[in-house]
Amino acid sequence: MAVEHNPIREGYFGEFGGAFIPEMLRENVVTLASRYREILAEVGFRQELDALLRDYVGRPTPLYHARRLSEDLGVTIFLKREDLCHTGSHKLNNAIGQVLLARRLGRTRIIAETGAGQHGVATATACALLNLPCVVYMGRRDMERQAPNVARMRLLGAEVRSVTSGSETLKDATNEALRDWIANPADTHYVIGSVVGPHPFPSMVAAFQSVIGAEIETQFAAATGGDVPDAIVACVGGGSNAIGGFVRFLDNAQVRLIGAEAAGEGIATPCTAATLTLGRPGVLHGARTMLLQTNDGQIVEAHSISAGLDYPGVGPQHAHLHASGRAEYVAVTDRQALDAVKLLCRTEGIIPALESAHAIAALSLARFEPGVRVVLVLSGRGDKDLATYERELATPEAE
Ligand SMILES: *Cc1c(COP(=O)(O)O)cnc(C)c1O
């Protein structure tokens, strides 16, 4: 595939980002880059999006003072309850925004990639709601592992296309979705599921997820008489829920920003997804970012018990925030995440998604000063992970 090596300069975060795209996609991507901000600022578009976020997604989500968890950890924790969004995570904020935007740009067909199936379900949901045909690319292995989400997407009217190239997982599904977009540039919009891909996707997805941080700012101020949090903690797969929580506070150096990436079986093992801790710069899926790769630049298969964090890359803005030191990133193992699942279940009666559990585990690794007040973005609920929890976590009887 011919790759354009003249990336658009404005889409950079330090040395990361850009738009490394085939010539066939150039017009599409440039149109998107030049139009999305103006469309997002249109009163009519804002009103339609805000009404759907409120009445359909269920926003604003609560900011909940988790008293028993706070007592257990010795710092004050507020949970930003993205787990209460329709379809079970923050992903619908972005999917609805992008499908609305695509319709506004006159696109008549939607495609998406999905790994665990969560983004596929969110996109299929938005397409059903807004009456656009939807094709979701998914690795054959992922379709087997995540059969309930395949059933959900089909029930919602989406066509799920099985990808049998490479490792038959997310990276390959993304390649296939890009190929589809190259073949159908005029009528199709590709809904990317995180702050990854060529410019403008990282900034555009961040804009749709920034509602998380905007609500945190207002709700935290209301709960504390006008203060800002001492820290925001979120898990990082591609990094969209974390960027959504962070963006509002980037310019306020008093707010510590902490991302939790997946260490898998540990950063000293080959079974890991700790891209920022272990990766090196390279180009994948249209952007220059930090990647898990071999010395000669082959992408290394990522591993995490959590399918949503199992990606060998990371959003370019996180690569930059890591390089600049503005945000800190901790690597959380499968075991630490599973222990954190149990902790939140037992202290607060909330079953978190495995991805979100990485953020909870990071609370114990971040070395907070006594008395700090932390907002944790609880990105999703754990219903989808029940089979893993049953397998991996001892029941009270067995303890
Ligand atoms: C997909 C997913 C993530 C990872 O995606 P980000 O873009 O890093 O936010 C995290 N949590 C949940 C619940 C997810 O479904």
Side-chain angles (χ1 to χ4, degrees):
M1 187 183 306
V3 170
E4 171 65 58
H5 279 293
N6 184 20
I8 306 157
R9 201 65 227 176
E10 68 154 21
Y12 274 82
F13 306 93
E15 63 165 299
F16 300 104
F20 296 82
I21 49 169
E23 197 50 47
M24 290 288 292
L25 282 182
R26 192 159 184 84
E27 197 183 316
N28 241 331
V29 167
V30 167
T31 303
L32 205 54
S34 66
R35 300 279 324 271
Y36 88 90
R37 277 180 219 279
E38 136 207 350
I39 293 174
L40 257 66
E42 279 174 15
V43 174
F45 185 87
R46 270 288 17 133
Q47 281 175 344
E48 189 172 10
L49 179 57
D50 288 348
L52 287 175
L53 290 177
R54 184 187 66 227
D55 303 330
Y56 188 77
V57 179
R59 307 208 70 90
T61 59
L63 184 72
Y64 162 68
H65 180 192
R67 288 183 180 77
R68 291 199 57 223
L69 180 68
S70 300
E71 222 166 87
D72 196 276
L73 295 172
V75 285
T76 302
I77 313 288
F78 290 83
L79 301 177
K80 180 59 176 161
R81 298 289 308 274
E82 294 303 293
D83 60 314
L84 296 177
C85 290
H86 180 41
T87 73
S89 81
H90 65 293
K91 286 202 169 71
L92 195 56
N93 302 329
N94 169 52
I96 284 201
Q98 279 197 57
V99 175
L100 264 186
L101 181 76
R103 210 176 58 177
R104 183 68 185 63
L105 287 168
R107 308 284 188 234
T108 54
R109 175 176 178 267
I110 297 295
I111 60 171
E113 86 296 338
T114 199
Q118 296 300 107
H119 172 56
V121 169
T123 306
T125 300
C127 286
L129 176 71
L130 299 168
N131 193 23
L132 283 176
C134 178
V135 174
V136 179
Y137 288 91
M138 190 168 186
R140 194 193 54 87
R141 257 178 67 202
D142 285 339
M143 284 179 71
E144 273 173 27
R145 292 191 292 189
Q146 312 288 341
N149 276 340
V150 176
R152 283 186 186 100
M153 287 184 268
R154 289 184 171 148
L155 204 51
L156 291 161
E159 180 193 338
V160 183
R161 288 196 190 156
S162 167
V163 176
T164 54
S165 55
S167 56
E168 306 185 328
T169 58
L170 175 60
K171 175 169 65 67
D172 315 290
T174 305
N175 287 334
E176 215 49 53
L178 278 168
R179 234 168 254 143
D180 179 315
W181 207 23
I182 291 163
N184 303 285
D187 63 344
T188 298
H189 177 73
Y190 176 14
V191 178
I192 293 184
S194 188
V195 285
V196 300
H199 175 70
F201 283 97
S203 306
M204 186 173 74
V205 175
F208 287 128
Q209 293 295 2
S210 67
V211 65
I212 299 173
E215 289 176 7
I216 290 173
E217 191 176 42
T218 311
Q219 292 169 322
F220 193 88
T224 60
D227 295 347
V228 292
D230 297 300
I232 315 261
V233 180
C235 66
V236 175
S240 68
N241 85 88
I243 288 289
F246 290 176
V247 275
R248 206 64 178 206
F249 304 96
L250 282 180
D251 294 332
N252 185 344
Q254 287 176 343
V255 184
R256 269 180 81 184
L257 305 175
I258 300 167
E261 58 176 3
E265 291 175 15
I267 55 171
T269 76
C271 296
T272 181
T275 314
L276 289 166
T277 306
L278 297 171
R280 286 181 298 112
V283 173
L284 178 69
H285 297 145
R288 181 178 161 80
T289 187
M290 295 289 275
L291 301 172
L292 293 175
Q293 54 187 312
T294 60
N295 284 333
D296 52 0
Q298 295 297 313
I299 301 301
V300 175
E301 200 68 17
H303 167 87
S304 164
I305 191 170
S306 142
L309 304 182
D310 198 347
Y311 181 64
V314 65
Q317 191 168 8
H318 284 292
H320 176 59
L321 291 172
H322 176 255
S324 71
R326 174 62 188 95
E328 307 155 54
Y329 295 85
V330 293
V332 173
T333 65
D334 292 349
R335 191 68 252 163
Q336 288 168 327
L338 286 165
D339 289 343
V341 169
K342 222 158 148 182
L343 175 66
L344 193 69
C345 289
R346 302 287 170 85
T347 54
E348 296 293 344
I350 297 170
I351 302 173
L354 255 173
E355 293 85 359
S356 321
H358 286 70
I360 300 160
L363 292 170
S364 314
L365 305 171
R367 290 197 209 87
F368 290 118
E369 304 287 323
V372 298
R373 293 174 300 183
V374 179
V375 172
L376 181 133
V377 183
L378 194 70
S379 57
R381 56 180 175 247
D383 309 36
K384 68 184 177 60
D385 299 311
L386 269 189
T388 307
Y389 297 165
E390 263 191 326
R391 194 176 62 237
E392 302 284 343
L393 293 172
T395 61
E397 289 78 16
E399 268 171 7

